[in-house]
Amino acid sequence: MADKKNRGLVVVDILVSCFPKLAAKARLKFDKVREKHLLLLPEKVVILNETAASILILCDGSQTVKGIAEKMRASLKDGNNASDISTLPDIQTIEEDISGFLQEMAEQGWVVIHSHAEDK
Amino acid sequence: MPKTNNLVEPPYSLLAELTHRCPLHCPYCSNPLEMAQKESELSTADWIRVLSEAADLGVVEVHFSGGEPLLRDDLEILIRHANSLEMYTNLITSGIGLTAEKATSLKDAGLANVQISFQAGEAKLSDIIGGYKAFEKKREAVKAVKEAEMHLSLNVVLHRMNIDKLEGILKLAEETGAERLELANTQYYNWALLNREQLLPCWEQIQRASEIYRKAKARLEKKMEIIWVIPDYYASTPKPCMGGWAAIGLTVAPDGVALPCPTAAMIKDLSFENVRYSSLNSIWNDSSSFNRFRGEEWMPEPCRSCDLRHEDGGGCRCQAFALTGDSFATDPACKWAPEHYLIEKAVQDANNDPKPQNKPLIYRRHQNKTLLKK
């Protein structure tokens, strides 16, 4: 368990300054019929939860994991009323969670991790 | 408003078979023996309407197939329309006609994924199986897709004539830079069933090939996704038919006939609706053909009391009909099916040594009148 955690931290170090981008073969879609966010892939449809969809929408190759984490935290803040702000996870926890999620997405080949920002 | 069947989940995918015309003559083709003629094909306007209705119904992925879909001159229009409806678009092609210009124009229209068939890993055998000098054209098509930076999948149907050359197929796939390789053991319907004696591999061939597949999958894990479609004649339980009869996707044939799966038209005791006369919504939700094998009520014994019925859904209805003449029968691929001996007999014949090879292959022809009169 501790070992797993350590490995997780190494991954975080690599990732926060990287620029994740949705793979070219993948498309995001909000499906009005099912009222779900979908990740469309060749021969595969993945049903996403709200958080996963919000993160993937930000994976356009122009922002870092750190930047995405900040945006996610800001939107969590907006969604909560003032008294709940203290219960929000700190930025480092959010970065770790997002890194872990993106690492999984990258292993599936659905997200590509670049070390430099994409020219727009 | 037509009533909707609230118990039915919406479909995810549409297989749009734009035409049955094809330059290739593969003897394992899954198209019907009796194919739609060019004159009976749906018009561009029909397909546009079908795509719109599909999107409204919940379809999120469209597979443009055939025959050879590139023989239609409205492919870009249809892809563009599907794309405007936020549907994922996939082209399933022989590669014939897929020039660099064509690849670019399809990409501009919004095409996301291309699947190109190969009959073998090298020209001579590939062209013999396809009955057409196609191999070099396919290689050019592959190059065009890569240069247009679209996702590329190679599809290879495996059978007695090419399964011993699996390493060559893997090498080809690696060289082309394909992101995905589908190794589909032949499913015996239509043309393949007609040629089963020449196509069904023996047990040793399957064993060797699945070992090669297993090693390649481990070795290429990061580089290429490899799909292995099981040879159900050698499995003891049947494959679940398309994730269940009319459960996940539907097919529209070139002449507008709507089917729960690409081969369902072979079930002669069912009549299928046509998108020219019925909406896709009413076909999916309310037609008797689509509802016929939904759920488990229709099942015969031994399926009805079998624990595996939730997994395999009683197996493939087309195979049941093709082999037993009864579309309600348990799929004979199941070892508990009353008619499993039909599969056993075919497997036995395939493993007889030496195998008599005197029956000629029957190549797919678009109009094979002599065959149909039989």
Side-chain angles (χ1 to χ4, degrees):
Chain A
M1 189 68 200
D3 184 44
K4 197 175 167 193
K5 177 93 180 154
N6 281 336
R7 272 193 279 132
L9 283 174
V10 172
V11 169
V12 170
D13 286 338
I14 296 165
L15 275 180
V16 281
S17 62
C18 287
F19 298 81
K21 188 177 185 223
L22 201 62
K25 65 180 174 185
R27 306 275 155 94
L28 281 170
K29 175 193 168 82
F30 179 74
D31 178 5
K32 292 187 212 107
V33 175
R34 297 174 183 82
E35 299 186 328
K36 298 257 192 263
H37 289 278
L38 304 177
L39 181 63
L40 306 179
L41 295 149
E43 305 276 321
K44 196 176 281 169
V45 177
V46 181
I47 299 170
L48 302 169
N49 64 29
E50 287 284 333
T51 314
S54 313
I55 296 169
L56 290 176
I57 288 165
L58 297 171
C59 293
D60 60 2
S62 77
Q63 41 199 332
T64 59
V65 174
K66 199 175 176 58
I68 292 170
E70 278 159 11
K71 283 196 178 147
M72 288 299 293
R73 189 162 196 271
S75 69
L76 279 177
K77 223 186 241 174
D78 292 344
N80 277 349
N81 58 42
S83 62
D84 286 342
I85 285 178
S86 59
T87 66
L88 277 182
D90 62 54
I91 188 73
Q92 206 197 334
T93 309
I94 294 180
E95 279 175 7
E96 281 174 23
D97 287 352
I98 292 178
S99 295
F101 168 72
L102 289 175
Q103 187 69 19
E104 273 175 46
M105 294 289 104
E107 271 165 27
Q108 295 282 355
W110 302 340
V111 165
V112 187
I113 311 285
H114 295 291
S115 53
H116 298 285
E118 185 144 293
D119 292 330
K120 284 251 133 182
Chain B
M1 279 294 284
K3 72 177 175 69
T4 50
N5 189 338
N6 289 326
L7 301 172
V8 180
E9 294 287 327
Y12 281 98
S13 73
L14 167 69
L15 178 69
E17 287 186 342
L18 299 182
T19 179
H20 279 151
R21 292 172 287 139
C22 187
L24 267 63
H25 305 289
C26 306
Y28 51 75
C29 184
S30 63
N31 282 163
L33 301 184
E34 203 168 338
M35 286 183 260
Q37 299 305 304
K38 185 174 188 216
E39 302 71 46
S40 66
E41 287 175 9
L42 293 180
S43 67
T44 308
D46 288 330
W47 277 116
I48 294 276
R49 180 176 51 80
V50 167
L51 291 169
S52 299
E53 289 182 6
D56 288 344
L57 190 55
V59 167
V60 293
E61 300 213 332
V62 185
H63 308 285
F64 292 102
S65 179
E68 176 47 68
L70 289 166
L71 289 173
R72 292 275 303 208
D73 55 16
D74 53 2
L75 193 52
E76 281 91 339
I77 299 173
L78 301 180
I79 289 171
R80 207 174 290 280
H81 185 64
N83 225 43
S84 75
L85 298 163
E86 291 189 339
M87 295 197 277
Y88 194 90
T89 50
N90 178 26
L91 177 67
I92 304 173
T93 173
S94 69
I96 311 301
L98 192 47
T99 59
E101 296 77 31
K102 191 74 183 173
T104 310
S105 105
L106 292 170
K107 196 195 178 185
D108 289 346
L111 184 62
N113 185 46
V114 183
Q115 301 185 3
I116 297 182
S117 71
F118 274 88
Q119 282 61 46
E122 42 94 12
K124 196 170 164 222
L125 183 59
S126 195
D127 294 349
I128 288 174
I129 295 168
Y132 183 78
K133 222 169 152 36
F135 189 80
E136 287 311 321
K137 295 192 177 80
K138 285 168 181 283
R139 292 206 63 135
E140 284 163 29
V142 158
K143 203 164 149 250
V145 170
K146 290 307 286 185
E147 278 168 10
E149 295 182 340
M150 283 185 286
H151 188 264
L152 172 69
S153 181
L154 300 194
N155 292 359
V156 185
V157 175
L158 299 178
H159 45 79
R160 179 175 277 269
M161 294 165 74
N162 66 2
I163 195 166
D164 294 330
K165 311 265 169 70
L166 187 51
E167 269 153 348
I169 293 167
L170 285 157
K171 188 162 168 275
L172 172 81
E174 270 189 87
E175 278 170 14
T176 59
E179 281 99 347
R180 185 173 182 277
L181 170 65
E182 187 173 306
L183 301 168
N185 281 281
T186 305
Q187 313 283 316
Y188 293 97
Y189 311 107
N190 295 331
W191 296 88
L193 187 55
L194 212 56
N195 289 304
R196 187 176 67 186
E197 209 177 292
Q198 295 93 315
L199 295 177
L200 187 64
C202 71
W203 176 236
E204 276 177 28
Q205 288 181 297
I206 298 271
Q207 286 290 90
R208 276 198 301 268
S210 50
E211 187 56 22
I212 293 169
Y213 151 72
R214 215 181 44 77
K215 284 188 180 150
K217 191 175 171 67
R219 180 170 63 84
L220 298 168
E221 196 190 14
K222 289 278 163 220
K223 216 174 127 198
M224 185 164 67
E225 182 188 5
I226 310 181
I227 311 292
W228 173 259
V229 178
I230 62 152
D232 66 345
Y233 274 52
Y234 285 95
S236 57
T237 51
K239 55 185 180 290
C241 155
M242 309 288 295
W245 179 267
I248 294 170
L250 75 163
T251 298
V252 174
D255 56 0
V257 174
L259 304 164
C261 84
T263 51
M266 72 194 288
I267 304 179
K268 294 299 177 202
D269 56 0
L270 275 184
S271 72
F272 295 96
E273 319 273 322
N274 193 300
V275 296
R276 290 184 213 263
Y277 315 113
S278 309
S279 75
L280 223 48
N281 187 314
S282 72
I283 293 171
W284 178 260
N285 288 298
D286 303 317
S287 72
S288 61
S289 56
F290 276 59
N291 281 315
R292 178 71 71 90
F293 300 115
R294 279 181 172 142
E296 295 176 350
E297 308 246 300
W298 62 270
M299 284 181 183
E301 288 296 356
C303 301
R304 194 181 268 269
S305 53
C306 177
D307 287 344
L308 295 177
R309 70 184 184 281
H310 313 301
E311 278 154 56
D312 61 37
C316 170
R317 296 303 87 221
C318 300
Q319 183 145 281
F321 181 81
L323 298 184
T324 74
D326 175 9
S327 56
F328 285 85
T330 296
D331 185 340
C334 174
K335 65 181 169 190
W336 296 299
E339 271 129 338
H340 185 55
Y341 67 89
L342 294 168
I343 295 278
E344 284 180 315
K345 172 78 171 60
V347 165
Q348 236 169 46
D349 291 347
N351 287 278
N352 271 348
D353 197 34
K355 193 174 144 45
Q357 278 285 13
N358 41 21
K359 240 178 95 181
L361 269 180
I362 301 168
Y363 282 91
R364 171 207 206 267
R365 297 279 162 207
H366 195 210
Q367 279 170 297
N368 205 329
K369 296 257 162 62
T370 51
L371 185 77
L372 295 174
K373 275 187 204 139
K374 193 176 75 164

